[in-house]
Amino acid sequence: MKFSIYQMDIYPGDPEKNRQKVKEWVEEEVANANPDTIVLPEMWTTAYTLADLNLYADENAEPTKGFLSDLAVKHDINIIGGSVANKIDGEFYNSSLVVNRKGEVIYQYDKVHLVPMLNEPAYLSGGTKAPEIFELDGIKMGVIICYDLRFPEIIRSLALEGAQVLHIVAEWPLARRSHWRTLQLARAIENQMYVVSCNRVGSYDGVEFAGTSMAIDPWGDVLAEGEVEEEKSLSVSLDLEKVKQVRKDVPIFDSRVPHLYKHK
């Protein structure tokens, strides 16, 4: 499966301008790279304009849901739709949307772990369901959002359910770039899965973002990596047979002794 990752800068508080930017990028990327799946970053319609979400957020994921569905059908692509500020029953969530080639939203995940350092809990409600497996083109995958990366429990659960690819969509800051990079490598190695991440570049409200979007294979080898400051596309092909081979060669899941592990 071939992926294109859009390590983009984001216009704060201008969803329409950001949607137009993504539309133009998708058209160019499809023409040049012909991906099966594209990946967008966290909060790409609004950036972290948390105090003004009542002005800019989607409502029940619209109009972004329809926008992504139209793109998927027009270009015959799957979309890991980053995440958007999303108003549901009067509360704001950080919601990730997954769209298949038919334009169907097959999965929505509301970010569970809210970031104290960005004061997210003051503006957003945390999701109430852990990430779950979904399938694109018959491949089992999962998606998490930014700060979720620091909580390996939810990612191991996806691996145990057979996930072969983990997507991470983010607005991870430059100040903690070393954590961003190291944690991704660890998650790929310890779960023997591909990790495909999309992080924004640029800055907003005094925060610089780390870029460094990545594709990492189940051995922990880096297949593609974005620069810190550069807005760019990353194109990478994943050999899903490698997941099976690595899990056979180093059978960590067969070696687990979960009855000895403490939980909670």
Side-chain angles (χ1 to χ4, degrees):
M1 177 177 276
K2 190 173 184 180
F3 285 78
S4 286
I5 302 163
Y6 191 16
Q7 180 172 288
M8 67 182 284
D9 199 355
I10 300 168
Y11 297 108
D14 198 336
E16 189 53 43
K17 195 170 184 178
N18 288 312
R19 280 190 282 268
Q20 182 62 31
K21 182 175 182 175
V22 166
K23 179 177 181 290
E24 292 172 1
W25 172 77
V26 168
E27 290 172 350
E28 182 177 349
E29 194 67 13
V30 167
N32 293 334
N34 192 31
D36 298 296
T37 302
I38 66 165
V39 191
L40 302 175
E42 180 185 18
M43 298 281 275
W44 64 268
T45 57
T46 60
Y48 260 86
T49 53
L50 295 179
D52 295 316
L53 291 184
N54 60 312
L55 300 176
Y56 306 129
D58 280 22
E59 188 153 0
N60 295 317
E62 293 290 6
T64 303
K65 183 190 295 185
F67 168 78
L68 294 177
S69 294
D70 289 345
L71 278 181
V73 171
K74 180 178 180 181
H75 298 290
D76 188 29
I77 52 173
N78 304 304
I79 301 176
I80 307 296
S83 76
V84 297
N86 186 23
K87 188 176 183 180
I88 305 172
D89 295 331
E91 297 188 41
F92 295 100
Y93 295 85
N94 187 341
S95 300
S96 183
L97 305 172
V98 178
V99 185
N100 68 15
R101 297 176 187 270
K102 297 179 181 179
E104 300 166 337
V105 178
I106 61 166
Y107 183 59
Q108 177 176 317
Y109 165 64
D110 300 326
K111 185 178 182 181
V112 169
H113 301 100
L114 301 181
V115 187
M117 298 83 78
L118 293 177
N119 207 22
E120 275 190 331
Y123 299 99
L124 297 172
S125 296
T128 58
K129 294 182 179 179
E132 298 177 357
I133 294 288
F134 59 87
E135 291 191 20
L136 291 173
D137 296 348
I139 299 167
K140 291 185 177 181
M141 303 178 175
V143 63
I144 61 171
I145 301 174
C146 202
Y147 192 48
D148 288 333
L149 177 60
R150 292 186 179 274
F151 300 87
E153 301 92 337
I154 61 171
I155 300 164
R156 175 49 59 92
S157 294
L158 292 171
L160 291 172
E161 292 171 15
Q164 297 168 284
V165 183
L166 174 71
H167 304 281
I168 310 165
V169 301
E171 288 201 31
W172 197 284
L174 181 60
R176 292 181 285 278
R177 177 180 179 268
S178 62
H179 294 191
W180 166 248
R181 198 175 185 281
T182 300
L183 289 171
Q184 290 186 73
L185 291 165
R187 300 298 167 257
I189 294 167
E190 70 194 6
N191 293 296
Q192 299 177 325
M193 58 167 60
Y194 284 97
V195 168
V196 177
S197 69
C198 185
N199 191 35
R200 73 163 289 186
V201 293
S203 62
Y204 174 68
D205 198 23
V207 178
E208 291 186 69
F209 296 96
T212 320
S213 302
M214 300 180 76
I216 306 165
D217 79 6
W219 279 124
D221 293 329
V222 177
L223 305 179
E225 183 172 356
E227 301 294 331
V228 170
E229 298 178 356
E230 184 181 3
E231 183 176 73
K232 69 176 299 182
S233 303
L234 300 175
S235 181
V236 62
S237 293
L238 308 188
D239 176 8
L240 279 306
E241 289 299 313
K242 190 165 188 178
V243 176
K244 298 177 184 177
Q245 189 62 49
V246 170
R247 290 177 177 178
K248 179 181 178 181
D249 292 346
V250 185
I252 61 170
F253 296 103
D254 292 337
S255 301
R256 294 176 74 248
V257 284
H259 67 280
L260 297 182
Y261 304 155
K262 294 182 180 180
H263 302 283
K264 301 180 181 179

